[in-house]
Amino acid sequence: MLVNLGFLGVFKYYNFFAKEFAEACSSFGFQVDALTLDIILPVGISFYTFQTMSYTIDVYREKLKPSKDIIAFFAFVSFFPQLVAGPIERATNLLPQFYTKRNFDYKKAVDGLRQILWGGLFKKIVVADNCAEVVNHIFENQADINASGLFVGAIFFAFQIYGDFSGYSDIAIGTSRLFGFNLMQILLSPYFSRDIAEFWRRWHISLSTWFRDYVYIPLGGSRGGTWMKIRNTFIIFLVSGFWHGATGPF
């Protein structure tokens, strides 16, 4: 686990913290050059880091037996349909599917193609990309647009990010079905949530449940009083922010 987190820290977060440290020093009057690394971020490093960590933890908790098939294990870690945009699969769900012999399933193939074309590509190309044109125009000219126009831009942006994320996820899940694999659901109508807590449970389900099972609950969850719950929730959102991007806004 330390090796996994070490690679993730160096590749994704080292330059961010180096720059932040240099800026913090300059604010106190000390000039420090940021010693950054000119390295390329490996594709999907956040996803397969979390997947290998969940495998290690599940084996430690005896929820999963260690894999004796190295090819199946590396196929699980680097499964290409979900490597870039998720979902973050659990070894308990995906790894056993590599042990099973698969034959072509016409029904699964049709369902997969339908999810790729109608679900994924339609959401991405028709919904998200067209909403992006409106959003970019409004946000790039925000000084000249009134409050109602900015509100419209925010609504279109909500549809844009949903179309992007849901579209990519549908393409990943549909492609997996073409090969006979079943991936977990990643979104569950999040914009129909009744409150923020329900929205959190419905948006990026594979990530939120990962944080719940491997970070929040081991920290104590909601046990131990209000302050303990607030602390654990703060840690979850802090880690989630770092996971989404190594920049200040995240």
Side-chain angles (χ1 to χ4, degrees), residues 84-179:
V84 177
I88 304 171
E89 273 296 338
R90 307 291 181 89
T92 51
N93 175 50
L94 183 56
L95 186 56
Q97 296 184 53
F98 286 100
Y99 302 147
T100 306
K101 182 179 179 180
R102 290 174 303 281
N103 297 313
F104 178 76
D105 189 321
Y106 177 78
K107 185 177 182 301
K108 276 190 176 182
V110 171
D111 288 342
L113 285 173
R114 184 183 296 114
Q115 192 162 9
I116 292 171
L117 298 174
W118 174 245
L121 293 178
F122 179 83
K123 290 176 184 176
K124 169 57 183 168
I125 297 174
V126 178
V127 178
D129 288 354
N130 283 287
C131 286
E133 293 187 9
V134 178
V135 171
N136 292 338
H137 173 73
I138 292 176
F139 289 171
E140 288 172 0
N141 301 279
Q142 55 181 305
D144 302 322
I145 297 177
N146 56 27
S148 59
L150 294 175
F151 179 76
V152 171
I155 296 297
F156 271 82
F157 182 63
F159 282 102
Q160 177 193 344
I161 59 175
Y162 176 81
D164 269 331
F165 191 31
S166 181
Y168 288 137
S169 301
D170 282 342
I171 292 172
I173 295 172
T175 303
S176 299
R177 289 185 67 79
L178 289 177
F179 291 93

Side-chain angles (χ1 to χ4, degrees), residues 53-73:
M53 287 179 63
S54 69
Y55 168 82
T56 303
I57 296 171
D58 285 342
V59 169
Y60 175 77
R61 293 176 177 175
E62 297 184 350
K63 293 183 177 180
L64 181 72
K65 292 183 178 180
S67 176
K68 297 180 180 179
D69 188 336
I70 191 171
I71 295 178
F73 174 76

Side-chain angles (χ1 to χ4, degrees), residues 202-213:
R202 290 181 172 212
W203 182 274
H204 207 332
I205 297 171
S206 65
L207 180 64
S208 61
T209 55
W210 197 99
F211 281 133
R212 180 197 65 196
D213 295 339

